[in-house]
Amino acid sequence: MTVPPTEHALAQTGAVPPPGCPAHIGDGPGGATRLYGPAAETDPMGLYEDLRAAHGPVAPVLLDGDVRAWLVLGYLENRDVASRPTQFSRDPRVWHGWRSGEIDPETSPLVPMIGWRPDCVCADGEEHQRLRGAVTAGLNQFDHRGVRRTINRFAHELIDTFCEDGEVELVERFAEHLPMLTLTHLLGMSDESAPELVRAARDLFKATETSLASNAFVLECLEQLVVEKHARPGHDIASALLAHPAGLTDEEVQHHLRLILLAGYETTANLMSNVLRMVVTDPRFRGSLAGGQMTLPEAVEQVLWDEPPLMVCPGRWANDDTTLGGQQIKAGDMLLLGLAAGNMDQTIRPSSATPVHHNRAHLSFSAGTHECPGQDIGRIIADAGIDILLTRLPDIALAVPEESLSWRSSTWARHLTALPVTFAARPPQGDVLPDPLPAPPARSDGRPAAAVPPASAPGTAPGPAPRVPWLTRLRRFLGLG
């Protein structure tokens, strides 16, 4: 790709970063700035603004291993890239870096995020429509009120594990686990698989040396799920994908389950953490909620504008030479959608202090034909879960000085590491099991779904093991005994 010299870019904008700022510290080969390392980890939003000042709405950057890319910072430019699939492909095989040897596909921690997979995210045109249709059908089979009831039960049971203590760390004990419990439930997985999947999912987004192993673990779990659902289909996303008339292969089903699990978990867990932090640190935010000036769904939208759960979205690849944001983009170049930077673009948002909680035009779920199909379920998890928490523990207060809160950042996302709070201790609501799922729906070919044979019938496969009481299983899941 063509990377303009830093001096030329600075002369164009008239902005010269002072010595010691992230734009200088991160300078790499060709005048591009590293999106990894100390500057990106400590102040990613500041880094984006330095890049905007130096290069305008599109900036040359380097990923782990000094892999070259363009970071799209402008709101309009992000929408332009996301809305022109013929010019900016989602198929990473277009990238020239595979042919030039810029990356080692066997060892690079970037591969789980930018490598090709047989899923709708890596497809364009008719193939994208075929795969996306199956995913949308799998997600839309659930009535939102039913999903909300399931989330409410999971949320109550999680709260029951700490409500008597009078204190809790909300990120680990609530915000990270509620989305994974809900998603594994919807996908058709067992509750026991959730703890390891939480760790693997977070590791994947860190882009560390263990990311490849974490990716392999997730795929192995989902491969086993596909095998199980062939034998015992149910009312879940895995079974719906297998039965869809688009005729997905087992590998395609496995990778779409990975997509739903990882994208849905990461964004929802971060969103919940960010909303809860605002509740316990910003009196105006909490007062607007308590006073009715802002509903909880509106509070979620405000946080989606201010702190997108996914800050950078990989990626797009240029099919042809073009110009974007004043930069010369060459065929095969990689582009990254700067969702957080786009949301703060003063072109469309002159003041970040102006409330935008009524507006869903943010970039937090991307845009165009690849806009996240599961965003409404993510919103429901965050909205319902936080509503239950604040209803049951309305007096939660931050247990440490606000300035002691810390974040862990990667190229793609920024995570609040902990949110310790205190509250008046209250008794749990009881050991209540979730309602059983309804019977599996009819198959798409008109034939009824296969029934699970009873355990007592002679000559049939053994039935499921007896259920352990829900609160006991949940405590084991959380490592509480």
Side-chain angles (χ1 to χ4, degrees):
M1 71 185 233
T2 304
V3 177
T6 305
E7 296 80 4
H8 176 63
L10 292 175
Q12 284 184 318
T13 62
V16 180
C21 86
H24 276 309
I25 296 171
D27 276 352
T33 298
R34 292 185 171 95
L35 275 191
Y36 65 97
E41 292 170 4
T42 56
D43 184 17
M45 291 302 293
L47 180 59
Y48 303 152
E49 293 310 312
D50 288 323
L51 285 167
R52 200 193 311 268
H55 302 287
V58 179
V61 294
L62 298 169
L63 301 178
D64 186 82
D66 284 350
V67 171
R68 298 170 296 166
W70 295 100
L71 178 62
V72 185
L73 301 161
Y75 178 90
L76 296 177
E77 287 76 12
N78 268 286
R79 284 203 169 271
D80 184 26
V81 171
S83 302
R84 284 202 287 157
T86 55
Q87 176 62 62
F88 300 106
S89 174
R90 278 303 272 120
D91 189 336
R93 292 173 295 188
V94 172
W95 184 43
H96 48 56
W98 305 113
R99 300 183 297 275
S100 67
E102 189 166 350
I103 191 172
D104 183 351
E106 300 298 324
T107 60
S108 173
L110 295 174
V111 170
M113 299 300 293
I114 67 170
W116 182 85
R117 303 173 303 275
D119 62 28
C120 61
V121 168
C122 294
D124 298 312
E126 292 183 1
E127 181 66 0
H128 172 255
Q129 294 176 16
R130 177 181 78 90
L131 299 172
R132 171 86 174 211
V135 172
T136 301
L139 293 170
N140 287 348
Q141 69 177 309
F142 301 108
D143 175 76
H144 283 185
R145 288 173 296 181
V147 173
R148 188 178 289 271
R149 286 194 300 270
T150 298
I151 296 165
N152 285 350
R153 288 183 176 271
F154 282 136
H156 278 300
E157 297 297 345
L158 281 169
I159 296 167
D160 276 355
T161 66
F162 56 73
C163 63
E164 294 179 290
D165 300 336
E167 60 182 10
V168 71
E169 195 287 285
L170 284 175
V171 173
E172 181 181 3
R173 295 286 296 278
F174 190 72
E176 288 190 347
H177 286 299
L178 182 60
M180 187 60 80
L181 281 169
T182 305
L183 289 169
T184 53
H185 180 78
L186 296 179
L187 263 62
M189 305 180 76
S190 68
D191 300 333
E192 288 73 19
S193 59
E196 287 297 327
L197 286 170
V198 167
R199 287 186 281 272
R202 274 287 150 95
D203 188 59
L204 260 173
F205 280 90
K206 293 179 190 175
T208 64
E209 62 276 2
T210 58
S211 294
L212 288 171
S214 294
N215 188 56
F217 171 77
V218 171
L219 287 173
E220 182 181 347
C221 291
L222 296 174
E223 182 180 20
Q224 181 59 38
L225 176 63
V226 171
V227 172
E228 293 172 0
K229 291 304 172 180
H230 271 300
R232 295 174 180 271
H235 185 215
D236 52 63
I237 295 174
S239 300
L241 291 177
L242 287 169
H244 194 272
L248 274 64
T249 66
D250 284 3
E251 185 182 21
E252 288 173 337
V253 171
Q254 176 190 9
H255 279 272
H256 281 94
L257 294 174
R258 172 192 180 274
L259 171 64
I260 295 168
L261 181 69
L262 295 181
Y265 166 71
E266 177 72 10
T267 56
T268 308
N270 286 347
L271 176 59
M272 291 183 66
S273 295
N274 291 339
V275 173
L276 289 170
R277 181 184 65 82
M278 291 296 290
V279 167
V280 298
T281 62
D282 189 333
R284 291 173 299 175
F285 188 90
R286 189 166 188 164
S288 295
L289 279 175
Q293 293 92 353
M294 179 170 57
T295 65
L296 190 52
E298 288 174 339
V300 168
E301 296 306 319
Q302 181 70 47
V303 172
L304 284 169
W305 273 102
D306 294 339
E307 298 184 78
L310 195 63
M311 304 185 79
V312 174
C313 179
R316 298 293 193 275
W317 288 268
N319 280 322
D320 304 292
D321 292 356
T322 189
T323 301
L324 181 72
Q327 305 285 15
Q328 298 299 313
I329 310 297
K330 298 297 183 181
D333 278 2
M334 182 195 309
L335 297 96
L336 312 172
L337 298 184
L339 309 181
N343 280 354
M344 288 295 180
D345 188 349
Q346 292 188 356
T347 302
I348 54 97
R349 193 179 176 189
S351 172
S352 60
T354 303
V356 284
H357 54 258
H358 58 283
N359 190 331
R360 284 193 173 192
H362 52 72
L363 298 169
S364 296
F365 295 109
S366 190
T369 57
H370 285 275
E371 187 172 358
C372 176
Q375 58 183 278
D376 286 341
I377 289 181
R379 284 184 171 100
I380 292 171
I381 296 173
D383 177 22
I386 294 172
D387 184 48
I388 292 295
L389 180 72
L390 297 182
T391 299
R392 289 191 56 182
L393 306 175
D395 57 338
I396 60 169
L398 190 64
V400 298
E402 182 180 350
E403 56 270 20
S404 70
L405 297 178
S406 62
W407 284 260
R408 181 180 66 251
S409 299
S410 69
T411 297
W412 320 111
R414 184 173 184 249
H415 318 286
L416 182 65
T417 56
L419 189 65
V421 297
T422 59
F423 49 87
R426 294 170 173 83
Q429 289 199 344
D431 190 14
V432 182
L433 287 171
D435 289 333
L437 288 173
R443 291 165 52 119
S444 56
D445 57 9
R447 293 184 286 125
V452 178
S456 57
T460 63
R467 290 182 66 88
V468 178
W470 170 245
L471 189 54
T472 301
R473 289 189 297 118
L474 190 58
R475 288 188 179 278
R476 290 177 184 172
F477 161 75
L478 294 171
L480 302 175

